[in-house]
């Protein structure tokens, strides 16, 4: 069992990972500046697991604060979730994105080196594959060609981590490329809480279901896909969180860099998702067909064999589970 630092641990994926780690007997320390989450998430993690993670309200780019955390806690591994993640905002404020996402990662790596912590798991994204190769994306498919600064920060941090591992043979780096995480913990206590107008499909659908927005805009119905709408590999956030527990086990016994896709390998179109949500929850989702969103691909889905054979991890939950759990969480917030 390890003592693990989760940067951005009160966020959507971080909080679910905290729950899975605590349930497997690991110790969890969270560092989060609460810029896109709330302190109450710590209480909710405790409510679910009966264990309270240690919490530091901290910007990971704050070198002194981070050093104090490492001095006080005997951190054995880090899962690095902290970062800005709104694609559209990254196009408008690129410098803010590069400064924040790169600064936090560099400060974290330097502080880890100072305190002899040599295991890091990084929240990367399928967005690094860009439009360079056809689906399914494999871990050895070409990367780059990202359509926005957010995606480029993931690409650059991957590169920084790979170079760091090349220079320090004791360092263990695991890059996890997430596909489209959705859903919520089945308790309904933690989930995705976007501030303002949601950018992503599932939180937008749940807000339409809740009456917060009157309809969904379907961004394009003229793609080269079976029904013309975009196809994505949606993965339940609890499955994704379990993937991190598996990656932590891997990092304990290996050095160097390893990359894993975390997806289901199955594609679902926007229209299929609307229908699945309606069926799972007995609701109607009004929608209109809108123009394509710049930067969107027709298809994105994973080749999942590597995570299955090396991490012995596989996503298990269905689209129906994702729709039901996302709605249960949204309802709980009304
Ligand atoms: C997006 C980002 C990706 C990021 C991920 C985080 C882009 C190009 N990609 O992925 O870099 O890692 O979020 O979760 O922005 N859709 C609608 N109406 C909506 C919202 C979405 O039709 O209101 C469609 C999109 O066109 C797409 C699908 O739903 O076909 C999924 O969109 P979304 O949830 O935003 O995820 P991605 O675009 O795949």
């Amino acid at each position: 069992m390890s003592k693990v630092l989760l940067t951005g641990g009160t966020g959507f994926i971080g909080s679910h990972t905290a729950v899975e780690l605590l349930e497997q007997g690991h110790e969890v320390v969270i560092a989060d500046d609460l810029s896109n989450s709330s302190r109450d998430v710590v209480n909710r993690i405790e409510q679910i697991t009966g264990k309270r993670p240690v919490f530091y309200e901290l910007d990971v780019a704050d070198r002194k604060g981070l050093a104090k955390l490492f001095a006080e806690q005997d951190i054995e591994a880090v899962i690095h979730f902290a970062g800005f993640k709104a694609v559209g905002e990254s196009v408008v404020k690129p410098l803010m994105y590069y400064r924040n996402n790169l600064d936090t990662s560099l400060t974290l790596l330097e502080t880890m080196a100072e305190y002899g912590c040599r295991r890091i798991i990084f929240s990367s994204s399928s967005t690094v594959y860009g439009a360079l190769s056809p689906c399914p994306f494999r871990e050895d498919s070409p990367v780059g060609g990202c359509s926005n600064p957010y995606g480029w920060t993931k690409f650059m941090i991957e590169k920084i981590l790979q170079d760091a591992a090349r220079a320090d043979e004791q360092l263990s780096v695991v890059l996890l490329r997430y596909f489209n995480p959705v859903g919520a913990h089945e308790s309904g206590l933690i989930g995705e809480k976007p501030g303002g107008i949601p950018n992503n499909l599932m939180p937008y659908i749940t807000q339409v279901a809740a009456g917060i927005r009157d309809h969904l805009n379907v961004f394009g119905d003229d793609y080269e896909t079976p029904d013309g709408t975009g196809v994505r590999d949606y993965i339940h956030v609890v499955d994704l969180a379990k993937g991190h527990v598996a990656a932590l086990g891997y990092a304990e016994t290996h050095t160097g860099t390893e990359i894993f896709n975390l997806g289901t390998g199955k594609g679902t179109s926007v229209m299929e998702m609307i229908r699945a949500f309606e069926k799972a929850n007995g609701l109607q989702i009004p929608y209109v067909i809108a123009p394509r969103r710049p930067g969107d691909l027709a298809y994105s889905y994973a080749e999942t064999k590597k995570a299955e054979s090396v991490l012995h991890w596989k996503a298990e939950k269905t689209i129906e589970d994702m729709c039901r759990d996302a709605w249960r969480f949204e309802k709980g917030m009304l």
Side-chain angles (χ1 to χ4, degrees):
M1 293 306 122
S2 299
K3 190 170 195 178
V4 191
L5 170 64
L6 272 53
T7 73
T10 49
F12 176 43
I13 302 168
S15 59
H16 288 81
T17 302
V19 166
E20 297 305 316
L21 288 168
L22 288 166
E23 286 184 342
Q24 295 303 313
H26 295 285
E27 283 180 75
V28 171
V29 176
I30 291 177
D32 200 305
D33 66 357
L34 303 178
S35 58
N36 195 24
S37 59
S38 81
R39 188 182 289 275
D40 188 41
V41 172
V42 182
N43 300 329
R44 289 168 177 243
I45 293 169
E46 185 180 13
Q47 226 177 310
I48 295 169
T49 63
K51 294 172 198 161
R52 191 168 182 84
V54 177
F55 178 70
Y56 287 74
E57 184 174 343
L58 178 70
D59 177 346
V60 179
D62 167 2
R63 191 177 290 275
K64 275 196 185 142
L66 191 63
K68 182 168 174 287
L69 183 157
F70 272 87
E72 288 173 0
Q73 307 288 337
D74 197 9
I75 302 294
E76 291 161 274
V78 176
I79 309 184
H80 181 33
F81 298 101
F84 291 159
K85 61 170 189 178
V87 171
E89 185 183 50
S90 79
V91 176
V92 182
K93 299 176 180 169
L95 301 185
M96 184 175 103
Y97 269 66
Y98 288 116
R99 169 65 70 191
N100 181 70
N101 291 3
L102 297 179
D103 245 10
T104 49
S105 303
L106 290 167
T107 304
L108 177 62
L109 279 169
E110 286 164 354
T111 310
M112 284 174 63
E114 221 171 289
Y115 286 85
C117 178
R118 289 204 158 86
R119 284 177 212 144
I120 180 163
I121 294 164
F122 176 58
S123 282
S124 189
S125 168
S126 56
T127 201
V128 298
Y129 294 115
L132 296 182
S133 37
C135 282
F137 295 131
R138 293 161 45 108
E139 288 83 352
D140 57 2
S141 297
V143 291
C146 304
S147 64
N148 56 75
Y150 155 78
W152 282 114
T153 69
K154 294 294 180 193
F155 175 90
M156 290 175 187
I157 298 164
E158 281 199 358
K159 178 79 180 128
I160 291 168
L161 285 161
Q162 284 168 320
D163 288 345
R166 228 167 262 138
D168 176 355
E169 59 185 24
Q170 288 181 56
L171 194 62
S172 175
V173 169
V174 181
L175 306 177
L176 299 179
R177 293 182 179 153
Y178 309 154
F179 281 71
N180 289 61
V182 296
H185 192 265
E186 61 175 13
S187 63
L189 288 168
I190 53 173
E192 189 170 14
K193 247 188 198 175
I197 303 170
N199 298 300
N200 299 117
L201 180 63
M202 185 62 100
Y204 208 105
I205 290 180
T206 59
Q207 290 200 2
V208 172
I212 299 168
R213 324 231 160 246
D214 53 47
H215 68 271
L216 171 75
N217 293 303
V218 174
F219 296 143
D221 67 349
D222 56 354
Y223 285 102
E224 297 286 312
T225 59
D227 65 17
T229 65
V231 169
R232 295 290 180 275
D233 184 341
Y234 297 95
I235 173 168
H236 196 293
V237 65
V238 171
D239 277 334
L240 189 77
K242 289 179 176 161
H244 291 73
V245 180
L248 180 68
Y250 181 86
E252 279 167 7
T253 50
H254 295 78
T255 54
T257 301
E258 209 56 68
I259 305 175
F260 298 100
N261 285 338
L262 295 185
T264 65
K266 291 187 207 82
T268 303
S269 74
V270 177
M271 284 314 301
E272 284 171 335
M273 189 56 114
I274 296 172
R275 299 297 175 226
F277 189 92
E278 291 180 332
K279 187 158 172 259
N281 297 308
L283 287 161
Q284 289 281 86
I285 301 297
Y287 66 87
V288 299
I289 304 298
R292 289 183 180 195
R293 183 172 64 178
D296 274 355
L297 303 172
Y299 282 100
S300 166
Y301 58 91
E303 167 62 67
T304 58
K305 283 195 198 109
K306 186 174 175 190
E308 276 172 44
S309 63
V310 180
L311 296 180
H312 310 292
W313 167 91
K314 191 177 187 305
E316 279 161 1
K317 291 181 181 277
T318 63
I319 289 283
E320 193 190 351
D321 297 328
M322 301 178 207
C323 292
R324 196 196 51 232
D325 293 340
W327 177 229
R328 187 188 293 113
F329 177 70
E330 179 76 40
K331 269 192 301 188
M333 288 197 303
L334 295 178

